[in-house]
Amino acid sequence: MTTPVTTIDQRFSAPEAAAASWDETRRVLEQAELFWITTVRSDGRPHVTPLVAVWADGAIHFTTGPGEQKAVNLRANPHVVLTTGCHRWDSGLDVIVEGDAVRVTDEDVLKHLAEAWTSKWDGRWQFTVRDAAFYDNGFPSHAYSVTPAKIFAYAKGDPFGQTRHRFDA
């Protein structure tokens, strides 16, 4: 992954605010325990649900069962938004990732990602890989990768600021 072009949006920031650094934003993505994913239903309505994810190799990765609503939605529309941060108003950094979810089926990549889940979660998430899927408790999960198109970082508190990290420039 290339280093993004980072800018602060003065329209939505305090005059003295500085852009959140890419290192700070990436740290939030690496350490977050919970994300909220938004997918789009076939009739255009949004679907939002919490999930665990890992940041690895310049992308965010998540899993879903093949029959879950988000998997159904992704088969028709790969556009997603993943959100993480904190529930506090006056401190912290909320991060929003926009991109397209691509199913991961390569067994070597899946094994690498299974190790990433195990490492991040101190062994609480143990996936085995077979048939181009993760298995946990006997049930298959499909893994998806989202390479960011844009990432927004919202610094809360004093000074507040909105940073945009763009990867397409």
Side-chain angles (χ1 to χ4, degrees):
M1 166 180 261
T2 61
T3 302
V5 174
T6 299
T7 57
I8 188 153
D9 191 331
Q10 288 298 336
R11 299 172 300 165
F12 307 112
S13 303
E16 68 277 13
S21 72
W22 172 235
D23 287 340
E24 179 183 10
T25 302
R26 190 179 63 243
R27 235 182 336 272
V28 169
L29 293 169
E30 290 169 346
Q31 295 173 359
E33 291 186 1
L34 187 66
F35 290 80
W36 293 85
I37 186 168
T38 304
T39 59
V40 182
R41 297 173 192 264
S42 62
D43 64 4
R45 291 179 300 133
H47 174 259
V48 181
T49 190
L51 52 71
V52 297
V54 295
W55 176 264
D57 306 321
I60 193 159
H61 308 274
F62 65 91
T63 67
T64 184
E68 292 184 42
Q69 186 64 55
K70 59 187 165 295
V72 171
N73 297 347
L74 290 171
R75 285 193 284 274
N77 184 340
H79 303 308
V80 298
V81 174
L82 289 125
T83 306
T84 193
C86 62
H87 65 280
R88 293 183 304 276
W89 167 252
D90 63 352
S91 65
L93 188 69
D94 293 336
V95 178
I96 299 170
V97 177
E98 294 182 2
D100 288 345
V102 176
R103 182 157 174 231
V104 179
T105 57
D106 180 276
E107 298 231 347
D108 289 334
V109 174
L110 288 169
K111 288 176 184 176
H112 171 70
L113 292 175
E115 291 171 8
W117 254 280
T118 299
S119 175
K120 178 177 180 175
W121 292 95
D122 299 327
R124 289 178 279 171
W125 289 84
Q126 295 280 331
F127 292 121
T128 57
V129 175
R130 72 175 188 273
D131 305 323
F134 284 152
Y135 281 80
D136 178 34
N137 296 324
F139 297 102
S141 289
H142 293 167
Y144 288 84
S145 176
V146 179
T147 300
K150 286 185 261 186
I151 295 179
F152 295 95
Y154 295 89
K156 299 178 293 184
D158 190 19
F160 62 92
Q162 178 183 320
T163 300
R164 176 183 289 202
H165 302 286
R166 289 187 44 204
F167 297 87
D168 59 350

